[in-house]
Amino acid sequence: MSEEKVTITRLKGMKAKGEKITALTAYDYVFARLADSAGADIVLVGDSLGMTFRGEENTLKVTVDDMAYHTRAVRRGLKRALLVTDMPFLSCHSGIEKTVENVGRLVSEGAEAVKIEGGRDMAGTVEHLVRAGIPVMGHIGLTPQSIHQLGGFKIQGKGGEGAKLKDAAKAIAEAGAFAIVLECVPAPLAEEITRESPIPIIGIGAGPKCDGQILVTNDVLGLTPGASPKFVKKYADLSRLMVEAMGEYVAETKSGAFPGEEHSYHEKTRHLKAI
Ligand code: KIV
């Protein structure tokens, strides 16, 4: 992995070279540092935080204030990855002035780009922001902010809907976005969209032929309770490891085995940290 800072130009070059783009979510400094160290090219402060971080049933309660707070924390954890922040529910729908104000707030907290859900209907907004110098990532297919409109978390682009998705990808690319997240669509359609797109297509539940992949880090690490969708691959079972470690601490504290002599200060101790 090259140590060089990831930029939108670099991502476009990766598509041209057929080099896969990797993206993970992070909502705080700790996970941002870990994702950066692991070599993720993009770290997304996703509005999925409403569900994974706060335990809500969807992303609709997340605000610009929330995204600003989490962006600030993630910014401090990144050295190499491109920091993209989600524009939350309805934050780009009250006129272009309000949109620019909201986007500007997140950029001032350290976002290097923003992600906006929507197809041709959002192309004008994307174009305006790009002209103002703000890199935009599109998000089409299953767009969780439209969950009620879509009738639930369902696969998109089936049957005759493929043409609409292809048109959405085209409109967002023409508006100047630097990449598009394509969520939950049949793999052959995703392959076709990826082949036709001049900009990188980052898939999630969109099969193996996209230019890159994004997953929610909590899913990757086994921190999400309950069953995960089919497209998730769990690379670790951190929930189990964490409960084991916390349980050991609780048990040792109850029994008096912790803290031991080695964790205790004496008259001559001068430093708080182990040296
Ligand atoms: O909010 C989020 O985490 C996302 C990804 C799942 C793409 O939008």
Side-chain angles (χ1 to χ4, degrees):
M1 176 192 70
S2 149
E3 293 297 312
E4 214 180 302
K5 174 85 187 90
V6 179
T7 61
I8 62 164
T9 315
R10 173 116 174 254
L11 294 174
K12 286 178 193 165
M14 286 170 81
K15 175 172 172 102
K17 284 191 258 167
E19 198 183 321
K20 291 279 187 188
I21 296 166
T22 56
L24 282 169
T25 59
Y27 317 121
D28 64 21
Y29 169 75
V30 175
F31 279 74
R33 270 190 72 191
L34 296 173
D36 199 68
S37 305
D41 299 308
I42 296 171
V43 168
L44 172 73
V45 184
D47 63 354
S48 52
L49 68 89
M51 300 167 82
T52 50
F53 190 78
R54 297 203 305 223
E56 292 162 4
E57 64 175 323
N58 55 44
T59 60
L60 304 183
K61 286 196 178 126
V62 179
T63 64
V64 174
D65 281 349
D66 296 332
M67 298 310 290
Y69 173 88
H70 288 278
T71 298
R72 198 179 323 139
V74 167
R75 175 69 279 157
R76 296 196 199 105
L78 298 186
K79 289 196 177 113
R80 175 184 169 276
L82 185 81
L83 197 173
V84 181
T85 295
D86 254 340
M87 293 311 297
F89 184 52
L90 294 185
S91 60
C92 295
H93 295 76
S94 301
I96 200 67
E97 237 173 80
K98 188 66 190 165
T99 300
V100 171
E101 187 186 317
N102 288 336
V103 168
R105 170 110 191 272
L106 299 179
V107 170
S108 75
E109 294 292 1
E112 294 165 302
V114 293
K115 175 162 80 58
I116 295 180
E117 292 185 11
R120 187 165 283 285
D121 50 326
M122 294 310 289
T125 305
V126 172
E127 194 174 346
H128 190 95
L129 291 171
V130 171
R131 260 200 263 122
I134 294 151
V136 179
M137 176 182 251
H139 184 161
I140 61 171
L142 172 57
T143 45
Q145 291 170 19
S146 308
I147 194 69
H148 298 312
Q149 182 91 8
L150 299 175
F153 291 98
K154 292 180 183 160
I155 298 170
Q156 302 296 306
K158 283 190 93 179
E161 291 170 14
K164 195 167 166 226
L165 264 187
K166 283 197 233 168
D167 177 66
K170 187 166 178 280
I172 294 298
E174 282 172 2
F178 70 90
I180 297 174
V181 167
L182 182 61
E183 180 162 354
C184 284
V185 304
L189 174 62
E191 182 175 1
E192 211 181 318
I193 291 175
T194 303
R195 200 181 326 110
E196 285 171 11
S197 174
I199 59 172
I201 300 293
I202 315 291
I204 171 163
K209 299 291 185 176
C210 298
D211 299 305
Q213 296 291 327
I214 182 162
L215 280 177
V216 169
T217 300
N218 291 45
D219 293 341
V220 171
L221 298 180
L223 288 170
T224 308
S228 294
K230 177 184 161 87
F231 63 77
V232 168
K233 181 166 177 188
K234 194 161 128 180
Y235 285 84
D237 189 358
L238 287 200
S239 290
R240 187 179 53 76
L241 291 177
M242 289 168 90
V243 171
E244 270 172 25
M246 289 175 190
E248 222 176 300
Y249 158 76
V250 168
E252 287 200 353
T253 300
K254 296 258 188 214
S255 72
F258 176 82
E261 186 61 20
E262 69 277 30
H263 307 112
S264 305
Y265 295 119
H266 296 284
E267 285 285 314
K268 287 191 186 140
T269 317
R270 289 174 63 198
H271 297 279
L272 279 185
K273 283 192 178 172
I275 49 172

